[in-house]
């Protein structure tokens, strides 16, 4: 899945919807944009199932890394001998913190399966993704400098991301999710 559609990408790039000459190449860019935005935001954007192995020691709370978390599916030991009741756990969707409310603490090498991501992609993430797409599309087309009416000029490049994410996109996307231990 992708944050934006091919039709949205063509509209952003002012490509006639009937022109299919670059559709395969453009679709490859569209498909890659989700990963770029997820890496920058440090969160799952497109909703999907995630499986994560955690080494825990008698924990009554633990954190999942792929937030936002929609729901817990299962928590079980990797060897399959122990299963914990997810209905006995409380989830903080934004932080990925899971608390064991009752029952035994979670311990050992466990596999946690859960749904993460947004049910609906925030519009500002779509806008930021489209700015990144336009920037990548313009730069691969070989323009030697900023395109008149284009996405970026030299002053627009954020030093942390070098040349891949223009500041205009960062403004749409907002600050990345803090890394919490």
């Amino acid at each position: 899945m992708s944050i934006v559609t091919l039709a949205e990408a063509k509209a952003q790039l002012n490509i006639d919807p009937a022109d299919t000459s670059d559709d395969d190449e453009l679709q490859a860019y569209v498909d890659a944009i989700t990963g770029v935005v997820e890496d920058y935001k440090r969160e799952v954007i497109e909703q999907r199932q995630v499986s994560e192995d955690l080494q825990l020691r008698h924990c009554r709370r633990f954190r999942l890394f792929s937030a936002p978390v929609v729901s817990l599916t299962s928590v079980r030991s990797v060897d399959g001998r122990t299963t914990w009741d997810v209905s006995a756990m409380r989830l903080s969707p934004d932080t990925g913190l899971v608390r064991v409310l009752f029952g035994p603490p979670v311990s050992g090498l466990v596999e946690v399966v859960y749904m993460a991501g947004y049910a609906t992609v925030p519009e500002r993430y779509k806008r930021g993704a489209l700015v990144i797409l336009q920037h990548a599309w313009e730069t691969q087309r070989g323009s030697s400098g900023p395109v008149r009416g284009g996405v970026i000029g030299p002053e627009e490049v954020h030093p942390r991301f070098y040349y891949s994410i223009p500041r205009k996109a960062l403004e749409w996307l907002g600050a990345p999710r803090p890394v919490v231990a």
Side-chain angles (χ1 to χ4, degrees):
M1 302 253 335
S2 180
I3 291 177
V4 298
T5 65
L6 184 60
E8 290 169 325
K10 284 183 165 187
Q12 177 74 19
L13 300 172
N14 296 318
I15 297 174
D16 181 355
D19 179 359
T20 60
S21 61
D22 292 320
D23 278 8
D24 290 341
E25 182 181 11
L26 185 54
Q27 185 64 55
Y29 276 79
V30 165
D31 292 343
I33 291 297
T34 299
V36 172
V37 173
E38 286 183 342
D39 286 350
Y40 169 73
K41 291 296 292 179
R42 297 186 204 121
E43 62 186 20
V44 175
I45 307 295
E46 284 293 331
Q47 200 168 87
R48 63 182 172 270
Q49 187 174 51
V50 176
S51 176
E52 195 172 307
D53 289 347
L54 301 171
Q55 181 68 52
L56 303 172
R57 186 172 179 170
H58 304 291
C59 292
R60 298 207 67 72
R61 63 184 179 162
F62 56 92
R63 188 172 310 279
L64 302 172
F65 294 101
S66 296
V69 180
V70 177
S71 62
L72 285 173
T73 305
S74 67
V75 179
R76 67 176 188 86
S77 62
V78 171
D79 64 13
R81 287 193 253 175
T82 309
T83 301
W84 288 267
D85 182 6
V86 295
S87 68
M89 298 178 185
R90 181 174 183 185
L91 172 66
S92 294
D94 291 339
T95 63
L97 183 66
V98 179
R99 290 189 174 114
V100 178
L101 300 175
F102 54 89
V106 180
S107 191
L109 182 58
V110 299
E111 177 189 44
V112 182
V113 179
Y114 57 100
M115 288 298 293
Y118 292 93
T120 304
V121 177
E123 190 60 34
R124 64 183 293 156
Y125 289 9
K126 284 183 172 235
R127 294 281 118 214
L130 288 168
V131 170
I132 295 167
L133 171 73
Q134 184 175 0
H135 169 64
W137 190 255
E138 288 174 357
T139 56
Q140 72 90 26
R141 291 292 182 202
S143 56
S144 57
V147 176
R148 182 178 163 94
V151 175
I152 72 154
E155 73 285 353
E156 294 289 324
V157 179
H158 190 281
R160 178 172 169 217
F161 297 98
Y162 301 99
Y163 199 66
S164 61
I165 303 180
R167 287 189 189 196
K168 289 176 185 175
L170 296 175
E171 290 171 10
W172 280 110
L173 295 173
R177 179 179 297 278
V179 176
V180 180

